[in-house]
Amino acid sequence: MHAHFSFSSSYLQIPTQTHTLSTESTRLGRVTTGFNNMGLKCAATLILFSIISAVTSSIAIDPCASKPDDAGLTVIPIFGKCSPFDPPKPDSWAQTVINMASKDPARVKYLSTLVGQKSVVSAPIASGQAFNIGNYVVRVKIGTPGQLMFMVLDTSTDEAFVPCSGCVGCSATMFSPKDSTSYGPLDCSVPQCGQVRGLQCPSTGSGACAFNQSYAGSTFSATLVQDSLRLADDVVPSYSFGCVNAISGESIPAQGLLGLGRGPLSLLSQSGALYSGVFSYCLPSFKSYYFSGSLKLGPVGQPKSIRTTPLLRNPHRPSLYYVNLTGISVGKVLVPFSSEYLAFNPNTGSGTVIDSGTVITRFVEPVYNAVRDEFRKQVGGTFSSLGAFDTCFVKTYESLAPTVTLHFTGLDLKLPMENSLIHSSAGSLACLAMAAAPSNVNSVLNVIANLQQQNLRILFDTVNNKVGIARELCN
């Protein structure tokens, strides 16, 4: 059942309503003459229909209503109905995705150069793509009492950050530390401060834990602080995050970022036994304006039966979720290319990662070219380009489009057509929704992006080192 339209038994009291209708019918029978049995049945039916219509109508006009407790945290497309953010201009969803995908090269460049060196000032506290655009946001509350923020969800980032009151250049929605009774600053002497990149602490080790970052033409300064973080009904006390006090540029997420990486300052690490290193999400389609997906934290409520592949760890890029992609099929053809382009190598950073912040899947150029050429061969006809997509064809040929299958160790993921094709705004073209890693980056990284993850339950188990994937309708 839809995560968004899961009904609790207390919401639709059908037995009670039926009883009320029966009582109402009896009363009508006593005060109304000339009513035959057929009339009573019609009256009861009309009343029941009115009640059901009222209930379904209230659901239809409130797509952002709270989910049942076991449905998890709501994951919202950033330009969806339940998000406070408006698209930069009133584009079609296809054009919006094209615009979002145009930011992918900066994201992939960031992922490809990410290292675990805490002293590198130029390494951003949050993922580069998220700085440019947040594809999905989650509702969280920070402080006591809780202050609502819509934070960007990012699986390749550890630290969280939010704009704080008095921030220069930030949006109107900011966290107010003075209004929270559980807020507390952190100084340079605490262990958490040593885990933040780009520190500005003096050599004496005293003073506020401050840091500056720059990325994609924007810069920000912040201090590391602590406060309670509420996620649905869960509370993570003394949660460490960056309190942004100044930005320059327009690419910083307006209400902050929630890091779900694997490092020491990530949500998984800071929540400890609360979530036991386990989470999953189901990302809704970008087309799902009125719907949302879910983020399930902890082992409770996760799928009981799900196919898994080993989760690999790169000590040089500790935040990233590496998996072993062994091959790619287009239709019934296993695409030929050298296995070295997919091989996991911690020393070079090569391999494949699953990432929530990249829009379309990116393969290193030799792999993508081989996949693209086989796809074109099977579709036939002529091809054109549209934005980041270089394999677009007339929609009448769509029935010839082959299925793309990603082969992982122990798991084959056959992508549905909606996860492998995107259509132009006019609907006349269909495009293969994948691309090569940017040519200006010495990239050795393949990235399974969020467009290919939509309407799938992706499970991350960092304790047992496995990733699970299952089909789930979350739009």
Side-chain angles (χ1 to χ4, degrees):
M1 185 175 289
H2 271 240
H4 192 76
F5 286 118
S6 298
F7 305 127
S8 63
S9 59
S10 61
Y11 195 98
L12 292 180
Q13 297 289 349
I14 297 298
T16 303
Q17 290 167 348
T18 304
H19 173 75
T20 303
L21 288 172
S22 177
T23 304
E24 180 68 8
S25 299
T26 303
R27 188 186 68 78
L28 287 171
R30 291 199 299 266
V31 299
T32 306
T33 59
F35 239 70
N36 56 23
N37 288 338
M38 183 62 74
L40 285 172
K41 290 179 180 179
C42 290
T45 301
L46 287 172
I47 295 171
L48 178 60
F49 179 78
S50 298
I51 292 173
I52 293 175
S53 297
V55 172
T56 55
S57 175
S58 66
I59 294 171
I61 62 176
D62 188 16
C64 307
S66 298
K67 296 182 181 181
D69 291 342
D70 62 353
L73 201 65
T74 301
V75 177
I76 307 167
I78 192 165
F79 298 135
K81 171 70 175 176
C82 303
S83 168
F85 306 110
D86 296 321
K89 55 183 179 179
D91 283 327
S92 67
W93 83 269
Q95 188 59 47
T96 297
V97 173
I98 290 171
N99 294 339
M100 293 165 70
S102 69
K103 306 294 185 179
D104 276 354
R107 171 72 169 188
V108 175
K109 181 177 181 180
Y110 167 73
L111 296 177
S112 297
T113 57
L114 182 64
V115 294
Q117 296 175 327
K118 302 169 189 174
S119 60
V120 179
V121 176
S122 61
I125 188 175
S127 65
Q129 175 65 24
F131 274 28
N132 285 274
I133 187 166
N135 303 318
Y136 293 97
V137 294
V138 292
R139 294 164 53 108
V140 306
K141 291 186 177 180
I142 300 177
T144 307
Q147 300 176 38
L148 178 63
M149 306 292 285
F150 286 79
M151 300 178 71
V152 166
L153 174 69
D154 194 329
T155 56
S156 297
T157 296
D158 296 331
E159 303 93 337
F161 69 85
V162 297
C164 291
S165 56
C167 176
V168 178
C170 290
S171 65
T173 302
M174 292 180 279
F175 170 66
S176 176
K178 68 179 181 62
D179 293 326
S180 173
T181 59
S182 50
Y183 169 84
L186 293 174
D187 62 36
C188 292
S189 64
V190 300
Q192 299 95 312
C193 190
Q195 295 162 348
V196 178
R197 299 187 183 96
L199 287 178
Q200 300 295 307
C201 284
S203 58
T204 58
S206 60
C209 181
F211 54 91
N212 295 322
Q213 298 293 343
S214 64
Y215 191 87
S218 295
T219 59
F220 76 94
S221 62
T223 56
L224 194 67
V225 300
Q226 279 188 339
D227 209 331
S228 64
L229 174 69
R230 179 175 290 275
L231 304 160
D233 294 329
D234 295 334
V235 177
V236 181
S238 301
Y239 185 73
S240 301
F241 60 93
C243 192
V244 179
N245 51 59
I247 68 171
S248 175
E250 299 179 350
S251 58
I252 308 297
Q255 296 188 26
L257 182 142
L258 184 66
L260 284 171
R262 305 171 71 181
L265 285 181
S266 71
L267 174 63
L268 287 188
S269 296
Q270 292 198 55
S271 60
L274 179 62
Y275 299 133
S276 302
V278 176
F279 74 95
S280 73
Y281 56 66
C282 190
L283 302 179
S285 167
F286 293 133
K287 292 186 291 186
S288 303
Y289 179 75
Y290 288 101
F291 304 104
S292 58
S294 65
L295 170 66
K296 295 183 178 182
L297 297 162
V300 177
Q302 302 295 354
K304 300 297 183 184
S305 178
I306 189 170
R307 296 171 302 159
T308 63
T309 188
L311 176 61
L312 310 176
R313 189 175 185 89
N314 183 343
H316 298 295
R317 294 174 181 172
S319 300
L320 304 183
Y321 291 98
Y322 277 87
V323 289
N324 191 27
L325 180 65
T326 59
I328 303 168
S329 289
V330 175
K332 296 181 179 180
V333 177
L334 181 62
V335 180
F337 48 77
S338 175
S339 60
E340 68 178 292
Y341 295 123
L342 298 181
F344 173 64
N345 186 330
N347 293 323
T348 63
S350 65
T352 302
V353 298
I354 296 180
D355 178 52
S356 67
T358 309
V359 178
I360 60 174
T361 289
R362 301 273 178 160
F363 297 119
V364 295
E365 193 166 1
V367 172
Y368 174 72
N369 289 346
V371 170
R372 177 201 61 198
D373 292 348
E374 181 60 36
F375 187 91
R376 288 179 175 181
K377 177 181 176 182
Q378 294 186 33
V379 173
T382 58
F383 298 91
S384 59
S385 297
L386 182 66
F389 311 106
D390 67 358
T391 303
C392 300
F393 51 94
V394 179
K395 191 179 178 182
T396 53
Y397 284 84
E398 187 171 345
S399 61
L400 301 176
T403 300
V404 177
T405 303
L406 305 179
H407 302 289
F408 301 96
T409 300
L411 186 158
D412 291 332
L413 175 59
K414 184 178 292 186
L415 294 176
M417 281 299 166
E418 61 265 29
N419 292 50
S420 56
L421 295 180
I422 185 172
H423 298 92
S424 64
S425 301
S428 58
L429 292 178
C431 305
L432 178 62
M434 300 174 186
S439 58
N440 61 338
V441 176
N442 184 24
S443 177
V444 291
L445 199 62
N446 302 286
V447 182
I448 309 301
N450 58 47
L451 188 64
Q452 280 63 49
Q453 298 177 52
Q454 292 171 1
N455 288 317
L456 296 171
R457 172 65 56 181
I458 311 292
L459 171 69
F460 299 87
D461 184 341
T462 63
V463 174
N464 296 301
N465 293 314
K466 59 185 180 180
V467 174
I469 303 176
R471 186 73 173 147
E472 180 178 324
L473 189 63
C474 54
N475 66 346

